[in-house]
Amino acid sequence: MRTPFIAGNWKMHKTVSEAEAFLKELLTKDLPSGVDAAICAPFIHLDRLVQATNDKVGIGAENGHFEAQGAFTGEVSIDSLSDLGVDYVIIGHSERREMFNETDESVNKKVLKALEKDVVPIVCCGETLEERENETYIEKITTQIEHAFKSVSAEDAKKIVVAYEPIWAIGTGKSATSEDANKMCQLVRETIEKIFNTEISEAVRIQYGGSVKPENIKEYMSEPHIDGALVGGASLEVESFVALLEGAHNA
């Protein structure tokens, strides 16, 4: 049985003090059991959030560099994130791929480094509207997954979280139907099965992301291949984040 997992991706939102206030308030809430929760925040927030949290809420980074050190101005190493005590790191988000030229190869390097440093990778995959309409999206997703899991051991593969996020649904208010989202998450699972085996593919948690809200979380979570959500805007307010956790719990 896969444990549901709701992760907030704050992107470039909140000041450090706002982030601390959010977490302080969140930890006063009666959070549902049986659902993993995490907040993935900007680098500058992470130290204080790690210090302030407890075992109810994990803390994740939104990116990380695969090199341990070097002349990479503005980057933060996954080694440093691990030393800080971060639980998760988002890898290969479409905004990183499109705006900052991340490639499938760099995603794989980051996945391997995260696993080496005991930080759980949340690996993103997804297609553009053009790729959806010209029916190249199956090739796009399978290629992203094959590259992400390259050289990963079977035991380590179980630790990886995959977030399927159709690019056309991120921050647009549009969302894939629960049926379509489930089919794509099933495609991800079947691709992992081909790389490894059924046991591994059934162990990997697959999130859906793309305009997920408290109003639709239960619908997505009722689908057999959707194990959680990577959430943007709806993770920025305590009440809506709690509602997402409760929706996942009650689905």
Side-chain angles (χ1 to χ4, degrees):
M1 184 69 179
R2 298 182 294 269
T3 302
F5 180 28
I6 303 296
N9 176 17
W10 280 357
K11 308 190 181 186
M12 199 176 73
H13 289 285
K14 297 190 184 296
T15 64
V16 175
S17 58
E18 288 170 344
E20 284 186 296
F22 177 101
L23 184 59
K24 182 178 180 180
E25 182 181 350
L26 179 63
L27 294 177
T28 67
K29 303 296 183 180
D30 184 20
L31 302 182
S33 60
V35 179
D36 287 346
I39 293 297
C40 299
F43 290 128
I44 197 171
H45 301 27
L46 294 176
D47 184 41
R48 294 201 198 177
L49 293 179
V50 167
Q51 297 300 321
T53 197
N54 57 28
D55 58 5
K56 291 182 179 180
V57 180
I59 303 300
E62 299 175 14
N63 185 34
H65 201 287
F66 51 82
E67 293 288 359
Q69 57 186 350
F72 305 103
T73 301
E75 290 291 320
V76 175
S77 70
I78 293 173
D79 294 65
S80 293
L81 297 176
S82 175
D83 185 61
L84 197 62
V86 166
D87 304 295
Y88 304 94
V89 58
I90 298 174
I91 296 174
H93 191 280
S94 62
E95 291 161 0
R96 297 295 313 175
R97 294 178 189 259
E98 293 194 320
M99 298 179 189
F100 302 100
N101 303 314
E102 292 218 358
T103 64
D104 288 336
E105 289 72 23
S106 66
V107 166
N108 179 244
K109 289 179 180 180
K110 292 181 180 189
V111 168
L112 294 173
K113 174 58 75 170
L115 291 167
E116 175 192 329
K117 304 306 294 185
D118 294 321
V119 179
V120 175
I122 301 175
V123 181
C124 298
C125 62
E127 80 280 7
T128 64
L129 183 59
E130 181 182 0
E131 289 163 339
R132 164 66 59 165
E133 292 177 341
N134 66 23
E135 298 187 353
T136 59
Y137 60 94
I138 291 178
E139 180 183 358
K140 172 74 172 289
I141 300 304
T142 54
T143 297
Q144 288 182 328
I145 296 302
E146 287 167 354
H147 277 85
F149 281 82
K150 184 179 179 181
S151 302
V152 173
S153 71
E155 282 305 304
D156 277 345
K158 295 178 183 179
K159 305 172 187 176
I160 295 174
V161 176
V162 176
Y164 165 67
E165 293 194 306
I167 297 170
W168 48 269
I170 299 173
T172 63
K174 299 178 181 179
S175 56
T177 66
S178 58
E179 182 180 354
D180 282 343
N182 183 65
K183 286 180 180 178
M184 295 305 294
C185 291
Q186 182 178 2
L187 173 64
V188 170
R189 200 174 303 284
E190 289 173 349
T191 304
I192 295 169
E193 182 178 14
K194 289 177 183 177
I195 299 169
F196 298 100
N197 54 48
T198 301
E199 178 193 355
I200 302 302
S201 68
E202 288 298 318
V204 173
R205 291 188 290 182
I206 303 174
Q207 300 173 315
Y208 169 71
S211 298
V212 177
K213 309 175 184 68
E215 295 79 15
N216 60 24
I217 183 66
K218 287 180 68 175
E219 181 180 351
Y220 288 116
M221 292 299 298
S222 66
E223 297 288 349
H225 292 286
I226 299 178
D227 306 312
L230 182 60
V231 185
S235 72
L236 295 173
E237 300 295 333
V238 171
E239 293 302 327
S240 60
F241 188 70
V242 172
L244 290 166
L245 296 173
E246 291 174 342
H249 175 75
N250 295 327

